[in-house]
Amino acid sequence: MSLPTHEYDYIVVGAGSAGAALAARLSESGQHTVLLLEAGPPDKNLWTRIPLGVVKVLEQAKLTRSFFTEPDPQMQGRRIYWPRGWVVGGSSTVNGMMWVHGTPHEYDLWAQDGCPGWAYADLLPWFKKIEAFHGSDGASRGRSGPVTVTEFQPIDALPDAFLDSAEQAGIAPRVQDYNAKGYGGSYTQFNTRKGVRCNTRMAYLDDALQRSNLTLQSGVLVGRVLLKGKRAVGVQARVNGRDGAFHARREVILCGGAFNSPQLLELSGIGRRDVLAAAGVPLLHELTMVGENLSEHVYSPMVYRSKPEVSWNHRLSSLTGQAGVGLQWLTSRGGPLSTNTITAKTFAPLESGGLHAELKLQVQQVSAANNRGAGKMALDDFPGITLASFQIRPRSRGSCHIAKADPAADPILVSNHFSHPEDIEHCLVALKKSRQIAATGPLARLIEEEVRPGPAVGSDEALVNYLRATGATAYHPLGSCRIGSDAAQSVVDTRLRVHGIDGLRVADASVMPTIAATNTNAIAIAIGERCADFILNEGR
């Protein structure tokens, strides 16, 4: 039995960071009917409300889809775990909530590399539009947007010690707000509201779904975009085991993220000729960059035994400690449960005196041996903290392609980490800078010893081996449907329209040409907002 055919003005596929914002804005005037389709379930899990509940969410894997890369020869043949949100709100419902605009210089490079209109000056008004933050100047921060942003308030000496030591070591200055210029260090900013995760379901959909012209359907797996010639006219989808079609009078917009948006294009016959032929999908429109240009950070942690008063290991793993932090969150919405345990970070140049941030270094008030792998994360049984780092814009590129014509099958993910020589060099510099911070002033007085990788791992060769053996996901894959003016080098144009296909756009992290932000949720939401603006103002 097939589903009846439904018709809407706009169909948005994916209710994640970008898709939720996009659908809410398209429906705002009440003039257009909008269908928002999400493959995952509704956002009803208690752990998605509690900020530190992200640990439980990732461990349970009920609201994530667990992707793994192919064995990466540069990472000792390991298959890297790349989970993505599979729930209303998408990855904004399961991520670490760290709010980062990005590095202005990197956005400016987008504009210089075939993406006019995507420089930092073009994006700043959108960052301001989406956020409500009251800890900095109004010139660079928004005050009344839908996403509430708060700054962590220290409950012990560690965040200040980290920031002061980074400054004293000459790594990067301490600043009031790292989002003001994308440079320097300050307390971590989270998209939380009164101690609760402020994901795009809360920020955009809770109000928007009161409108009769916006329909959200979860548990819907879209199998392909329906094309009539070179125009998108709807989607084919499976709902409760039944196949049906939804028709779009105006446009279809894919917001599935770095893996599922290129996957859906390829399932629809749009992509590389060789990939589609191998998967048994008829080629309807050749676009060679679909699924190419995939990029992700390599997250590298260093663990230190610390003074007990600044490590949260015991209180988050013991029954008495858990009761205490739970009561603190219930009564004041504060304390460790109001964070993801990363309480301060700094954005630093490769070399002292550099003008642009090229590395991110951060402090985490817990430690664990499992570096962002699948399954349960067990905290160390000693007082420990973590200093972690990565380069902001890796040069290495991977790919994401279908293996067969099945929307439920995982695409083939090739990470190619460290295939560009600069990447391993820059991550090595970042590790050394973490050690410099740990050995400096205020932070040195809170540290007993380095545990992982340990002082015996001192040479460049040994540290590089450590990077290859332990480097993990930062949860920031993007780039597989990149923006560009040249269809031979990109998938969408500067207004996010798929090259050569009318009525079809992509709006999510997949369109970013490079990683310009160390945490990609804010820019993903801004992309959804911009896409709605492009659509509603087309032809004006």
Side-chain angles (χ1 to χ4, degrees), residues 240-307:
N240 298 324
R242 296 182 296 164
D243 291 327
F246 298 99
H247 285 188
R249 284 184 287 263
R250 293 174 179 262
E251 293 196 27
V252 174
I253 308 100
L254 307 184
C255 302
F259 305 153
N260 293 119
S261 285
Q263 178 187 34
L264 193 48
L265 287 175
E266 291 180 341
L267 291 170
S268 308
I270 302 169
R272 299 177 65 91
R273 183 180 297 272
D274 57 333
V275 170
L276 271 58
V281 175
L283 177 68
L284 300 180
H285 181 67
E286 188 166 13
L287 205 53
T288 58
M289 286 299 292
V290 171
E292 297 294 310
N293 192 56
L294 183 63
S295 184
E296 160 69 304
H297 291 129
V298 176
Y299 171 91
S300 301
M302 306 183 85
V303 169
Y304 293 85
R305 186 186 299 271
S306 70
K307 301 291 186 183

Side-chain angles (χ1 to χ4, degrees), residues 242-444:
R242 296 182 296 164
D243 291 327
F246 298 99
H247 285 188
R249 284 184 287 263
R250 293 174 179 262
E251 293 196 27
V252 174
I253 308 100
L254 307 184
C255 302
F259 305 153
N260 293 119
S261 285
Q263 178 187 34
L264 193 48
L265 287 175
E266 291 180 341
L267 291 170
S268 308
I270 302 169
R272 299 177 65 91
R273 183 180 297 272
D274 57 333
V275 170
L276 271 58
V281 175
L283 177 68
L284 300 180
H285 181 67
E286 188 166 13
L287 205 53
T288 58
M289 286 299 292
V290 171
E292 297 294 310
N293 192 56
L294 183 63
S295 184
E296 160 69 304
H297 291 129
V298 176
Y299 171 91
S300 301
M302 306 183 85
V303 169
Y304 293 85
R305 186 186 299 271
S306 70
K307 301 291 186 183
E309 62 267 24
V310 296
S311 172
W312 297 351
N313 281 357
H314 178 71
R315 73 180 82 176
L316 291 178
S317 58
S318 68
L319 291 177
T320 54
Q322 290 173 352
V325 298
L327 181 63
Q328 185 178 12
W329 184 80
L330 287 171
T331 56
S332 69
R333 291 295 191 263
L337 291 189
S338 68
T339 77
N340 65 3
T341 74
I342 299 169
T343 55
K345 58 179 62 182
T346 191
F347 299 86
L350 274 168
E351 298 180 0
S352 181
L355 299 178
H356 307 296
E358 295 158 291
L359 307 172
K360 183 179 86 161
L361 303 100
Q362 62 192 29
V363 64
Q364 189 168 8
Q365 305 213 205
V366 297
S367 65
N370 178 15
N371 181 24
R372 301 192 173 192
K376 185 175 177 60
M377 184 187 77
L379 297 177
D380 288 321
D381 61 1
F382 57 82
I385 62 171
T386 303
L387 300 188
S389 61
F390 53 72
Q391 66 177 146
I392 293 174
R393 181 169 67 92
R395 275 68 170 171
S396 302
R397 293 292 180 268
S399 63
C400 168
H401 293 299
I402 60 171
K404 53 186 175 180
D406 178 3
D410 289 348
I412 298 172
L413 303 177
V414 176
S415 50
N416 279 339
H417 287 317
F418 298 145
S419 55
H420 193 292
E422 282 189 10
D423 293 354
I424 196 79
E425 293 169 8
H426 292 183
C427 285
L428 175 60
V429 170
L431 281 183
K432 291 180 176 181
K433 288 184 182 293
S434 291
R435 275 184 167 165
Q436 280 183 265
I437 295 172
T440 299
L443 189 56

Side-chain angles (χ1 to χ4, degrees), residues 56-86:
K56 288 289 186 183
V57 171
L58 291 173
E59 286 178 354
Q60 294 172 350
K62 294 178 181 178
L63 304 179
T64 59
R65 185 168 171 179
S66 296
F67 295 97
F68 290 86
T69 70
E70 295 295 289
D72 192 327
Q74 299 288 332
M75 306 293 283
Q76 298 190 354
R78 293 183 297 130
R79 300 179 70 221
I80 310 300
Y81 178 50
W82 279 359
R84 308 307 298 149
W86 198 250

